[in-house]
Amino acid sequence: MSEKKAPIIIGSDHAAYDLKEKIKAFLVQRDIDVEDVGTHGKDSVDYPDFGIKVASMVSAGKFERGILLCGTGIGMSMVANKFPYVRAALCTDLFSAIMSRRHNNSNILVMGGRVVGDVLAMEIVKAWLETPYDGGRHQRRLDKFDRIDTAISD
Ligand code: RB5
């Protein structure tokens, strides 16, 4: 019996609604449970509302990994990286997606629905899900992120 895969929390604004739906189908096909926080249509919405929903859950440890999508991916990555323990990586290519896992242990993948094509987006999702974190010397560097969060809250 294959091991149950960790669920993924996903959110987008209207600009990446279509891509979100495609990624959801791609994940479900691979037996990965998806928690979709919206948006649920193409009406104009504010991306921070959905970025906050996903990033707060990852930050609180309720989900290990999430995916955020907007037109460029820039707004979502700005929002997500304000949350402690979130390491959101805006990826437009495979190499960055792989390295964001290996070296940065990224826990939120961000993409721009108006930037990447569907085929590349699915390849990025696949690589991001399958690539493990290297650990080792990289953990010393990530520990320094956590110290920023502690210093801010002191
Ligand atoms: C919405 O028009 C657009 O601003 C948003 O999707 C995103 O690209 C923001 O960074």
Side-chain angles (χ1 to χ4, degrees):
M1 213 172 72
S2 66
E3 217 178 283
K4 188 75 192 146
K5 294 165 186 147
I8 297 282
I9 185 164
I10 193 168
S12 79
D13 71 356
H14 55 286
Y17 170 74
D18 286 339
L19 181 59
K20 173 169 68 64
E21 294 305 299
K22 286 174 189 156
I23 291 175
K24 254 169 58 183
F26 181 84
L27 295 174
V28 168
Q29 228 175 46
R30 279 156 187 77
D31 220 16
I32 297 170
D33 290 335
V34 184
E35 174 80 12
D36 180 1
V37 302
T39 187
H40 298 295
K42 291 191 183 181
D43 291 347
S44 183
V45 292
D46 298 335
Y47 63 83
D49 296 339
F50 302 91
I52 289 166
K53 284 184 189 183
V54 168
S56 60
M57 295 293 264
V58 172
S59 181
K62 303 261 168 62
F63 284 82
E64 259 175 56
R65 317 236 320 239
I67 297 177
L68 278 170
L69 312 160
C70 63
T72 58
I74 295 171
M76 285 298 199
S77 62
M78 287 177 169
V79 169
N81 279 315
K82 293 184 95 62
F83 284 78
Y85 311 115
V86 165
R87 293 175 301 279
L90 172 55
C91 296
T92 57
D93 64 277
L94 269 176
F95 179 70
S96 301
I98 290 167
M99 296 315 287
S100 84
R101 288 290 312 133
R102 289 188 52 192
H103 286 194
N104 314 110
N105 198 13
S106 61
N107 51 14
I108 297 186
L109 170 65
V110 189
M111 290 186 291
R114 292 171 176 164
V115 179
V116 290
D118 293 350
V119 175
L120 176 58
M122 298 316 149
E123 288 299 318
I124 288 174
V125 169
K126 190 167 177 289
W128 184 76
L129 287 173
E130 289 173 0
T131 305
Y133 171 46
D134 282 357
R137 69 186 186 281
H138 302 293
Q139 191 53 47
R140 185 180 72 236
R141 295 160 186 167
L142 297 194
D143 288 344
K144 294 187 178 184
F145 286 41
D146 296 346
R147 271 182 246 145
I148 302 171
D149 296 326
T150 317
I152 289 168
S153 61
D154 275 351

